[in-house]
Amino acid sequence: MPGIDKLPIEETLEDSPQTRSLLGVFEEDATAISNYMNQLYQAMHRIYDAQNELSAATHLTSKLLKEYEKQRFPLGGDDEVMSSTLQQFSKVIDELSSCHAVLSTQLADAMMFPITQFKERDLKEILTLKEVFQIASNDHDAAINRYSRLSKKRENDKVKYEVTEDVYTSRKKQHQTMMHYFCALNTLQYKKKIALLEPLLGYMQAQISFFKMGSENLNDQLEEFLTNIGTSVQNVRREMDNDVETMQQTIEDLEVASDPLYVPDPDPTKFPVNRNLTRKAGYLNARNKTGLVSSTWDRQFYFTQGGNLMSQARGDVAGGLAMDIDNCSVMAVDCEDRRYCFQITSFDGKKSSILQAESKKDHEEWICTINNISKQIYLSENPEEIAARVNQSALEAVTPSPSFQQRHESLRPAAQSRPPTARTSSSGSLGSESTNLAALSLDSLVAPDTPIQFDIISPVCEDQPGQAKAFGQGGRRTNPFGESGGGTKSETEDSILHQLFIVRFLGSMEVKSDDNPDVVYETMRQILAARAIHNIFRMTESHLLVTCDCLKLIDPQTQVTRLTFPLPSVVLYATHQENKRLFGFVLRTSGGRSESNLSSVCYIFESNNEGEKICDSVGLAKQIALHAELDRRASEKQKEIERVKEKQQKELSKQKQIEKDLEEQSRLIAASSRPNQASSEGQFVVLSSSQSEESDLGEEGKKRESEA
């Protein structure tokens, strides 16, 4: 190693300019050494920090690999092969983590400690001595200046002594400080070499020790394990590449096939409506009321699950119950000038929801699906097959069948018999013996080519008086404000029965028979089939008021009476044998197809699972009306008997009065005919012809009484 330059300590007392110039060189060198060593210290400290971070990260990695088997992954959480492989990796990495921890300790002792000592002790010592030397040099210069300004003429021993003492003290301090400063600068030339080499030596020795420990841990068995893992990774990568290629091909095929589906309302000829669904899912807009007249529409994902309609907002983990659609009713509605809206009403009528589909196809499929679920077709083993059979039956409903017996054979229980006369159950059956049905054909129940009316036409129009009679209104115009004109009493004001039901009008048609409940069943079948064929889902909702006098259909919004059916004209009523929400009744009216004869019209309604209750209510109303009629007739008969008795009493009273008058006249005659009175008075009483006649009549009456 070449020689080291030194500052001459012997020349410190002389303090020549050459010495000061050489000192400046050494100070510049010390500054450069300080800057360089600071940079080197930062670099080595980064190595040390990185090693500590690597050790901590390796330890954390080993810990996480050990905890893999405790994790509950939604997908592939039970892979035992992966768990065992990661456990093996965890052991190896844990050993490496220990090696890294040892390396961190060695770096702290062998690399960071020497350079830190040089930086914190030696370099700071040089800076401190430099500052002290600068102060001592300035003090010496000031003392020399004061000593040089001593007066030659006015010598003052005291002042001279003080100045001389000050020069002595400052020069001594400068000389001593300068010697120590020169010594530190000379020593720095050796220390900088030690500070450079010793940390590097410690770093290399620590790394060699680390690599030795690593070579001892990485044995041949571990190399074989790593080779097997590498092969497995390559196999997984090849499998992934094949799967990605398959998915890319699937994406291309789906893009081509789904291009027409991007249109919100696809062509129905290319994508026909499937009416046999019992499950459906998709996005719908739900109407939510925010005020009396305001509302908002929220787009949510709806799906059917059994007999429930579920809704799920975007981002939710699971769906929630929106409505129970078992035995519910669904119909298309117009709402806020939006297309493809439909309304679902629960079986009890307490809850309803208005939804909007995206297309006409979805609109019809949702309505058909909810209708199929409402009929509980989903509970069967093959729900789609049964739904297809039901829809096929609806399509065949417009084709006349050979006999009524065959048409209803699948709907009627094998051993069921109906009562022969009046209705005795809540289904409203008023038919005859089931053995007589075999002889009945379809034409004997429903008039051929009979048009079906799907909507309620109010009979208040003045240009249709015949239609008003057909509906039992008698041509009476309904007050549109729901008030009775002229202060007259309402027809049902004194009725003891008032029951209100929510119903929806399905249709009506003229029938040829009104003495068999199968007429109602056949009318239901034809109206439902016609609705299914012509895609008519709209139904008019009304309130059915049952009283002892009539049945009234009332507008739920305006409370205006739409139709009135006199109760005596309702000759037949029944509910559907399977779907108890459907009910109907036959009204016998004048007019119809032939104005000269009576005609029968069958009206079909859908209720909120209250068909049997409505028929029971109608039956109760007819019984009350019958009892009221019998009571009225008995009252009239009693009044007639009382009138006869009163007349007889009057005749008897008149007869008694006549007898009383006759007795009075007889007494008068007897009194007038006394002899003592005639002789004493000497006068005669002359009777007029009328009095004589009355007396004769009185005598004749007495004779009749005596004879009696």
Side-chain angles (χ1 to χ4, degrees), residues 497-546:
L497 179 66
H498 287 81
Q499 290 190 351
L500 195 67
F501 302 94
I502 298 176
V503 298
R504 287 168 291 278
F505 181 69
L506 293 176
S508 64
M509 61 185 300
E510 186 176 348
V511 295
K512 295 179 67 176
S513 174
D514 56 8
D515 57 353
N516 194 322
D518 290 316
V519 175
V520 180
Y521 306 148
E522 178 62 23
T523 306
M524 289 179 183
R525 189 189 63 80
Q526 290 204 16
I527 289 177
L528 293 177
R531 277 181 170 270
I533 292 171
H534 299 290
N535 295 331
I536 300 175
F537 301 106
R538 190 185 309 277
M539 294 182 286
T540 304
E541 185 171 278
S542 303
H543 289 171
L544 177 64
L545 178 63
V546 180

Coordinates of all heavy atoms in Angstrom, one line a residue, residues 497-546:
L497 N -128.0 -8.0 3.7 CA -126.8 -8.7 3.2 C -126.0 -7.7 2.3 O -126.6 -7.3 1.3 CB -127.1 -10.0 2.5 CG -125.8 -10.7 2.0 CD1 -125.0 -11.2 3.1 CD2 -126.2 -11.9 1.1
H498 N -124.8 -7.4 2.7 CA -123.9 -6.5 1.9 C -122.5 -7.2 1.9 O -121.9 -7.0 3.0 CB -123.9 -5.1 2.4 CG -125.1 -4.3 2.1 ND1 -126.2 -4.4 2.8 CD2 -125.4 -3.4 1.1 CE1 -127.2 -3.6 2.4 NE2 -126.7 -3.0 1.3
Q499 N -122.1 -7.8 0.9 CA -120.8 -8.4 0.9 C -120.1 -8.0 -0.4 O -120.7 -8.0 -1.5 CB -120.9 -10.0 0.9 CG -121.3 -10.5 2.3 CD -121.2 -12.0 2.4 OE1 -120.9 -12.7 1.4 NE2 -121.3 -12.5 3.6
L500 N -118.9 -7.5 -0.2 CA -118.1 -6.9 -1.4 C -116.9 -7.8 -1.7 O -116.2 -8.3 -0.8 CB -117.6 -5.5 -1.0 CG -117.1 -4.7 -2.2 CD1 -118.3 -4.3 -3.1 CD2 -116.5 -3.4 -1.6
F501 N -116.7 -8.1 -2.9 CA -115.6 -9.0 -3.4 C -114.8 -8.3 -4.5 O -115.5 -7.6 -5.3 CB -116.1 -10.4 -3.8 CG -116.8 -11.1 -2.8 CD1 -118.2 -11.1 -2.7 CD2 -116.2 -11.9 -1.8 CE1 -118.9 -11.7 -1.8 CE2 -116.8 -12.6 -0.9 CZ -118.2 -12.5 -0.8
I502 N -113.5 -8.6 -4.6 CA -112.7 -8.1 -5.8 C -112.7 -9.1 -6.8 O -112.3 -10.3 -6.6 CB -111.3 -7.7 -5.3 CG1 -111.3 -6.6 -4.3 CG2 -110.5 -7.3 -6.5 CD1 -109.9 -6.3 -3.7
V503 N -113.2 -8.8 -8.0 CA -113.3 -9.7 -9.1 C -112.7 -9.1 -10.4 O -112.6 -7.9 -10.5 CB -114.8 -10.2 -9.4 CG1 -115.3 -10.9 -8.2 CG2 -115.6 -9.0 -9.7
R504 N -112.4 -9.9 -11.3 CA -111.9 -9.5 -12.7 C -112.7 -10.2 -13.7 O -112.8 -11.5 -13.7 CB -110.4 -9.8 -12.8 CG -109.5 -8.9 -12.0 CD -108.1 -9.4 -11.9 NE -108.0 -10.6 -11.1 CZ -107.9 -10.6 -9.8 NH1 -108.0 -9.5 -9.1 NH2 -107.8 -11.7 -9.1
F505 N -113.3 -9.5 -14.6 CA -114.1 -10.0 -15.6 C -113.3 -10.7 -16.7 O -112.4 -10.1 -17.3 CB -115.0 -8.9 -16.2 CG -116.0 -9.3 -17.3 CD1 -117.1 -10.1 -16.9 CD2 -115.8 -9.0 -18.6 CE1 -118.0 -10.5 -17.9 CE2 -116.7 -9.4 -19.6 CZ -117.8 -10.2 -19.2
L506 N -113.6 -12.0 -17.0 CA -112.9 -12.7 -18.0 C -113.7 -12.7 -19.3 O -113.1 -12.7 -20.4 CB -112.7 -14.2 -17.5 CG -111.7 -14.4 -16.4 CD1 -111.7 -15.8 -15.9 CD2 -110.4 -13.9 -16.7
G507 N -115.0 -12.8 -19.3 CA -115.8 -12.8 -20.5 C -117.2 -13.3 -20.2 O -117.5 -13.9 -19.2
S508 N -118.0 -13.2 -21.3 CA -119.4 -13.7 -21.2 C -119.8 -14.2 -22.6 O -119.3 -13.7 -23.6 CB -120.3 -12.6 -20.7 OG -120.4 -11.5 -21.6
M509 N -120.7 -15.1 -22.6 CA -121.3 -15.6 -23.9 C -122.7 -16.2 -23.6 O -123.0 -16.6 -22.5 CB -120.3 -16.6 -24.5 CG -120.1 -17.8 -23.7 SD -118.9 -19.0 -24.4 CE -119.6 -19.3 -26.0
E510 N -123.4 -16.2 -24.7 CA -124.8 -16.7 -24.6 C -124.8 -18.2 -24.6 O -124.0 -18.8 -25.3 CB -125.6 -16.2 -25.8 CG -127.1 -16.5 -25.7 CD -127.9 -15.9 -26.8 OE1 -127.4 -15.1 -27.5 OE2 -129.1 -16.3 -27.0
V511 N -125.6 -18.8 -23.8 CA -125.7 -20.3 -23.6 C -127.1 -20.7 -23.9 O -128.1 -19.9 -23.8 CB -125.2 -20.8 -22.2 CG1 -123.8 -20.4 -22.0 CG2 -126.1 -20.1 -21.1
K512 N -127.3 -22.0 -24.2 CA -128.6 -22.5 -24.6 C -129.3 -23.2 -23.4 O -130.5 -23.4 -23.5 CB -128.4 -23.5 -25.8 CG -127.9 -22.8 -27.1 CD -127.8 -23.9 -28.2 CE -129.1 -24.4 -28.6 NZ -129.0 -25.3 -29.7
S513 N -128.5 -23.5 -22.4 CA -129.1 -24.2 -21.3 C -128.7 -23.5 -20.0 O -127.6 -22.9 -19.9 CB -128.6 -25.6 -21.2 OG -129.1 -26.3 -20.0
D514 N -129.6 -23.4 -19.0 CA -129.4 -22.8 -17.7 C -129.8 -23.6 -16.6 O -130.0 -23.1 -15.5 CB -130.1 -21.4 -17.7 CG -131.6 -21.5 -17.9 OD1 -132.1 -22.7 -17.9 OD2 -132.2 -20.5 -18.0
D515 N -129.8 -25.0 -16.8 CA -130.2 -25.8 -15.7 C -129.2 -26.9 -15.3 O -129.4 -27.8 -14.7 CB -131.6 -26.6 -16.1 CG -131.4 -27.3 -17.4 OD1 -130.3 -27.2 -18.0 OD2 -132.4 -28.1 -17.7
N516 N -127.9 -26.6 -15.8 CA -126.9 -27.6 -15.6 C -125.6 -26.9 -15.3 O -125.2 -26.0 -16.1 CB -126.7 -28.5 -16.9 CG -125.9 -29.7 -16.6 OD1 -124.9 -29.7 -15.8 ND2 -126.2 -30.8 -17.2
P517 N -124.9 -27.2 -14.2 CA -123.7 -26.4 -13.9 C -122.6 -26.7 -14.9 O -121.6 -25.9 -15.0 CB -123.3 -27.0 -12.5 CG -124.0 -28.3 -12.4 CD -125.3 -28.2 -13.2
D518 N -122.6 -27.7 -15.7 CA -121.6 -28.0 -16.7 C -121.6 -26.9 -17.8 O -120.6 -26.7 -18.5 CB -121.8 -29.3 -17.4 CG -121.5 -30.5 -16.4 OD1 -120.5 -30.3 -15.7 OD2 -122.3 -31.4 -16.3
V519 N -122.7 -26.1 -17.9 CA -122.7 -25.0 -18.8 C -121.7 -24.0 -18.3 O -121.0 -23.4 -19.2 CB -124.2 -24.4 -18.8 CG1 -124.1 -23.1 -19.6 CG2 -125.2 -25.3 -19.3
V520 N -121.6 -23.7 -17.0 CA -120.6 -22.8 -16.5 C -119.2 -23.3 -16.8 O -118.3 -22.6 -17.2 CB -120.8 -22.6 -15.0 CG1 -119.8 -21.6 -14.5 CG2 -122.2 -22.0 -14.8
Y521 N -119.0 -24.6 -16.6 CA -117.6 -25.2 -16.8 C -117.2 -25.1 -18.2 O -116.1 -24.7 -18.6 CB -117.6 -26.7 -16.4 CG -118.0 -26.9 -14.9 CD1 -118.7 -28.1 -14.6 CD2 -117.8 -25.9 -14.0 CE1 -119.1 -28.3 -13.3 CE2 -118.3 -26.2 -12.7 CZ -118.9 -27.3 -12.3 OH -119.3 -27.6 -11.1
E522 N -118.2 -25.4 -19.1 CA -117.9 -25.3 -20.6 C -117.6 -23.9 -21.0 O -116.7 -23.6 -21.8 CB -119.0 -25.9 -21.4 CG -118.8 -25.9 -22.9 CD -117.6 -26.7 -23.3 OE1 -117.2 -27.6 -22.6 OE2 -117.1 -26.4 -24.4
T523 N -118.4 -22.9 -20.4 CA -118.1 -21.5 -20.8 C -116.8 -21.1 -20.3 O -116.1 -20.3 -21.0 CB -119.2 -20.7 -20.2 OG1 -120.5 -21.2 -20.6 CG2 -119.1 -19.2 -20.6
M524 N -116.4 -21.5 -19.1 CA -115.1 -21.2 -18.6 C -114.0 -21.7 -19.5 O -113.0 -21.0 -19.8 CB -114.8 -21.8 -17.2 CG -115.6 -21.1 -16.1 SD -115.3 -21.9 -14.5 CE -116.4 -21.1 -13.4
R525 N -114.1 -22.9 -19.9 CA -113.1 -23.5 -20.8 C -113.0 -22.8 -22.1 O -111.9 -22.5 -22.6 CB -113.5 -25.0 -21.0 CG -112.4 -25.8 -21.7 CD -112.9 -27.1 -22.2 NE -114.0 -27.0 -23.1 CZ -113.8 -26.8 -24.4 NH1 -112.5 -26.7 -24.9 NH2 -114.8 -26.7 -25.2
Q526 N -114.1 -22.4 -22.7 CA -114.1 -21.8 -24.0 C -113.5 -20.3 -23.9 O -112.7 -19.9 -24.7 CB -115.5 -21.7 -24.6 CG -116.0 -23.1 -25.1 CD -117.0 -23.0 -26.2 OE1 -117.2 -21.9 -26.8 NE2 -117.8 -24.1 -26.4
I527 N -113.9 -19.6 -22.8 CA -113.4 -18.2 -22.7 C -111.9 -18.2 -22.4 O -111.1 -17.5 -23.0 CB -114.2 -17.5 -21.5 CG1 -115.6 -17.3 -22.0 CG2 -113.5 -16.2 -21.1 CD1 -116.5 -16.6 -21.0
L528 N -111.4 -19.1 -21.5 CA -110.0 -19.2 -21.2 C -109.2 -19.6 -22.4 O -108.1 -19.1 -22.7 CB -109.7 -20.2 -20.0 CG -110.3 -19.7 -18.7 CD1 -110.0 -20.8 -17.6 CD2 -109.6 -18.4 -18.2
A529 N -109.7 -20.6 -23.2 CA -109.1 -21.0 -24.4 C -109.0 -19.9 -25.4 O -107.9 -19.7 -26.1 CB -109.8 -22.2 -25.0
A530 N -110.1 -19.1 -25.6 CA -110.0 -18.0 -26.5 C -109.1 -17.0 -26.1 O -108.4 -16.4 -26.9 CB -111.5 -17.5 -26.6
R531 N -109.0 -16.7 -24.8 CA -108.0 -15.7 -24.3 C -106.6 -16.2 -24.6 O -105.7 -15.4 -25.0 CB -108.2 -15.5 -22.8 CG -109.3 -14.5 -22.5 CD -109.4 -14.3 -21.0 NE -110.3 -13.2 -20.6 CZ -109.9 -11.9 -20.5 NH1 -108.6 -11.6 -20.7 NH2 -110.7 -10.9 -20.2
A532 N -106.3 -17.5 -24.4 CA -105.0 -18.0 -24.6 C -104.6 -17.9 -26.1 O -103.5 -17.6 -26.5 CB -104.8 -19.4 -24.1
I533 N -105.6 -18.2 -26.9 CA -105.3 -18.3 -28.4 C -105.0 -16.9 -28.9 O -104.1 -16.6 -29.7 CB -106.5 -19.0 -29.1 CG1 -106.5 -20.4 -28.7 CG2 -106.3 -18.8 -30.6 CD1 -107.7 -21.2 -29.2
H534 N -105.9 -15.9 -28.5 CA -105.8 -14.6 -29.0 C -104.9 -13.6 -28.2 O -104.8 -12.4 -28.4 CB -107.2 -13.9 -29.1 CG -108.1 -14.7 -30.0 ND1 -108.0 -14.7 -31.4 CD2 -109.2 -15.5 -29.7 CE1 -108.9 -15.5 -31.9 NE2 -109.7 -16.0 -30.9
N535 N -104.1 -14.2 -27.2 CA -103.2 -13.5 -26.4 C -103.9 -12.3 -25.7 O -103.4 -11.1 -25.7 CB -102.0 -12.9 -27.3 CG -101.2 -14.1 -27.8 OD1 -101.1 -15.1 -27.2 ND2 -100.6 -13.8 -29.0
I536 N -105.0 -12.5 -25.1 CA -105.7 -11.5 -24.4 C -105.5 -11.7 -22.9 O -106.0 -12.7 -22.3 CB -107.3 -11.6 -24.7 CG1 -107.5 -11.4 -26.2 CG2 -108.0 -10.5 -23.9 CD1 -108.9 -11.5 -26.6
F537 N -104.7 -10.9 -22.3 CA -104.4 -11.0 -20.9 C -105.0 -9.9 -20.1 O -105.0 -9.9 -18.8 CB -102.8 -10.9 -20.7 CG -102.1 -12.0 -21.4 CD1 -101.4 -11.7 -22.6 CD2 -102.2 -13.3 -21.0 CE1 -100.7 -12.7 -23.3 CE2 -101.5 -14.3 -21.7 CZ -100.8 -14.0 -22.8
R538 N -105.5 -8.9 -20.7 CA -106.1 -7.7 -20.0 C -107.4 -8.1 -19.3 O -108.3 -8.8 -20.0 CB -106.3 -6.5 -20.9 CG -106.6 -5.2 -20.2 CD -106.9 -4.1 -21.2 NE -105.8 -4.0 -22.1 CZ -104.7 -3.4 -21.9 NH1 -104.5 -2.8 -20.8 NH2 -103.7 -3.4 -22.8
M539 N -107.6 -7.8 -18.1 CA -108.9 -8.1 -17.4 C -109.3 -6.8 -16.6 O -108.5 -6.1 -16.1 CB -108.7 -9.2 -16.4 CG -108.4 -10.5 -17.0 SD -108.3 -11.9 -15.8 CE -106.7 -11.5 -15.1
T540 N -110.6 -6.6 -16.7 CA -111.2 -5.4 -16.0 C -111.5 -5.8 -14.5 O -112.3 -6.7 -14.3 CB -112.5 -4.9 -16.7 OG1 -112.2 -4.7 -18.0 CG2 -113.0 -3.7 -16.0
E541 N -110.9 -5.0 -13.6 CA -111.1 -5.3 -12.2 C -112.3 -4.5 -11.7 O -112.5 -3.3 -12.0 CB -109.9 -5.0 -11.4 CG -110.0 -5.3 -9.9 CD -108.7 -5.2 -9.2 OE1 -107.8 -6.1 -9.3 OE2 -108.5 -4.1 -8.6
S542 N -113.2 -5.1 -10.9 CA -114.4 -4.5 -10.4 C -114.6 -5.0 -9.0 O -114.0 -5.9 -8.5 CB -115.6 -4.8 -11.2 OG -115.4 -4.4 -12.6
H543 N -115.5 -4.3 -8.3 CA -116.0 -4.8 -7.0 C -117.4 -5.4 -7.2 O -118.3 -4.7 -7.7 CB -116.1 -3.6 -6.0 CG -114.7 -3.1 -5.6 ND1 -114.5 -2.0 -4.8 CD2 -113.5 -3.7 -5.8 CE1 -113.2 -1.8 -4.6 NE2 -112.6 -2.8 -5.2
L544 N -117.6 -6.6 -6.8 CA -118.8 -7.3 -6.9 C -119.6 -7.2 -5.5 O -119.1 -7.7 -4.5 CB -118.6 -8.8 -7.2 CG -119.9 -9.6 -7.3 CD1 -120.8 -9.1 -8.5 CD2 -119.6 -11.1 -7.5
L545 N -120.7 -6.5 -5.6 CA -121.5 -6.3 -4.4 C -122.7 -7.3 -4.4 O -123.5 -7.3 -5.3 CB -122.0 -4.9 -4.3 CG -122.9 -4.5 -3.1 CD1 -122.2 -4.7 -1.8 CD2 -123.5 -3.1 -3.2
V546 N -122.8 -8.2 -3.4 CA -123.8 -9.2 -3.3 C -124.8 -8.7 -2.3 O -124.5 -8.5 -1.1 CB -123.3 -10.5 -3.0 CG1 -124.4 -11.6 -2.9 CG2 -122.2 -11.0 -4.0

